[in-house]
């Protein structure tokens, strides 16, 4: 007899925060890409796609074994986005500052989820 185990990810406030922040920053980058005269159009579109792909990968049940790795990649991706914004020269539009606040919140949610996952796994491994 074959036993089928189904593992589901818990969706709580932290995960909802991750979803909201990642979608918000992806949509803001897409919005920035369609503005007239935007020199960084391609980079904004790629950034939007990157956030959406990593967000989907983070919650796909088929990739649950790689969840922690994807979490770290999304943290690094978000940090690189913030760093690149500083290197490009701090655009003066307020939406840029709002996006960075959202991205910092995204990193905080991702770190909180990782810590939550470590606590959860340590209680089951004892």
């Amino acid at each position: 007899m074959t036993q089928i185990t189904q593992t589901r990810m818990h969706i709580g406030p932290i995960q909802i925060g991750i979803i909201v922040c990642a979608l918000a920053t992806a949509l803001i980058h897409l919005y920035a890409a369609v503005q007239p005269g935007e020199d960084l159009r391609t980079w904004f579109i790629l950034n939007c796609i990157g956030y959406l792909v990593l967000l989907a990968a983070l919650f796909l049940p088929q990739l649950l074994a790689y969840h922690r790795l994807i979490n770290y990649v999304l943290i690094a991706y978000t940090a690189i986005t913030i760093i690149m914004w500083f290197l490009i020269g701090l655009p003066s539009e307020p939406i840029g500052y709002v996006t960075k606040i959202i991205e910092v919140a995204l990193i905080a949610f991702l770190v909180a989820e990782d810590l939550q996952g470590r606590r959860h796994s340590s209680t089951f491994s004892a």
Side-chain angles (χ1 to χ4, degrees), residues 4-5 8-9 13 21 23-25 37 43 47 83 87 90 94 103 108 115 117 126:
I4 298 174
T5 57
R8 289 187 177 184
M9 174 175 278
C21 288
L23 286 176
T25 195
W43 292 109
N47 199 271
I83 292 166
L87 293 177
L90 300 173
E103 290 166 348
L115 293 173

Side-chain angles (χ1 to χ4, degrees), residues 1 4 8 12 14 52 64 74-75 87 92 102 104 123 126:
M1 192 180 278
I4 298 174
R8 289 187 177 184
I14 293 173
L52 294 176
L64 193 57
L74 186 50
I75 289 170
L87 293 177
S92 61
I102 293 169
V104 168
T123 58

Side-chain angles (χ1 to χ4, degrees), residues 31-112:
Y31 170 78
V34 298
Q35 295 307 303
E38 181 53 58
D39 295 337
L40 301 171
R41 177 170 287 126
T42 302
W43 292 109
F44 283 139
I45 290 170
L46 290 173
N47 199 271
C48 172
I49 292 169
Y51 276 113
L52 294 176
V53 167
L54 287 169
L55 180 63
L58 191 64
F59 291 100
L60 275 174
Q62 297 88 342
L63 298 177
L64 193 57
Y66 303 101
H67 182 81
R68 180 173 259 163
L69 175 63
I70 296 166
N71 194 349
Y72 293 149
V73 169
L74 186 50
I75 289 170
Y77 188 83
T78 305
I80 290 168
T81 300
I82 294 168
I83 292 166
M84 291 305 297
W85 184 71
F86 280 104
L87 293 177
I88 288 171
L90 300 173
S92 61
E93 290 94 25
I95 193 75
Y97 295 97
V98 170
T99 307
K100 297 313 129 197
I101 292 168
I102 293 169
E103 290 166 348
V104 168
L106 175 58
I107 290 172
F109 280 123
L110 290 163
V111 169

Side-chain angles (χ1 to χ4, degrees), residues 2-6:
T2 306
Q3 181 181 2
I4 298 174
T5 57
Q6 187 175 27

